[in-house]
Amino acid sequence: VVVDALRGMAWRCSASGNADLVRNLRKAGVIHTDHVEQAMLKVDRSNYAPQNPYTDAPQPLGHQATISAPHMHAHALELLANHLQPGMRALDVGCGSGYLAAVMARMVGIEGQVVAIDYLSPLVALSLENVRKEDAALLDN
């Protein structure tokens, strides 16, 4: 039921910029908490999706991988929100572009830790390259 609801609203959440995308996800009821909203606002998807970063649909990364649709990231973050509080630790398996790990890192703060892994070395390199664009401080902590 939740997946059907999310699928039906995906086309309505697309936007022309990160702030509008997050606002649309909140308006559509995908984002419920300020904690998730603030973290997603701090990590611009344009640094992680090579094309159409604000379209609410999966986007290709290469290597037969995609970055998930924004509504799926928001939904996952809401489900994990109680476990992504300041000072906590998280593991992102299949880090792809690094986007979800960066948002999770914003949620756990500098006292927390997020470890992101992928079995494809090119995606690990892509993830690090993407995080360095505007979120490099996350790698220093």
Side-chain angles (χ1 to χ4, degrees):
V1 174
V2 171
V3 172
D4 288 337
L6 290 174
R7 190 178 301 123
M9 72 179 66
W11 63 271
R12 292 181 284 174
C13 294
S14 296
S16 59
N18 198 61
D20 287 339
L21 173 65
V22 174
R23 186 175 314 116
N24 290 347
L25 290 165
R26 183 80 187 232
K27 222 177 351 181
V30 181
I31 296 175
H32 304 283
T33 62
D34 292 341
H35 190 50
V36 169
E37 180 181 30
Q38 291 306 309
M40 288 184 73
L41 284 170
K42 290 178 183 172
V43 181
D44 194 319
R45 277 182 63 91
S46 69
N47 294 314
Y48 298 88
Q51 57 191 21
N52 305 314
Y54 311 118
T55 299
D56 197 10
Q59 301 298 320
L61 294 173
H63 310 283
Q64 298 181 329
T66 60
I67 179 173
S68 296
H71 72 271
M72 294 305 295
H73 281 143
H75 183 64
L77 291 164
E78 284 292 344
L79 291 173
L80 293 169
N82 289 337
H83 304 285
L84 295 171
Q85 296 298 314
M88 292 184 167
R89 290 185 258 174
L91 174 64
D92 180 14
V93 178
C95 63
S97 72
Y99 174 77
L100 188 61
V103 178
M104 292 167 85
R106 294 291 183 187
M107 292 176 75
V108 300
I110 59 172
E111 340 46 63
Q113 182 181 27
V114 174
V115 174
I117 61 172
D118 206 297
Y119 77 101
L120 294 171
S121 297
L123 291 182
V124 173
L126 174 67
S127 183
L128 288 167
E129 178 184 324
N130 289 342
V131 171
R132 285 186 181 110
K133 289 177 186 173
E134 284 189 25
D135 299 304
L138 297 175
L139 297 172
D140 297 336
N141 298 322

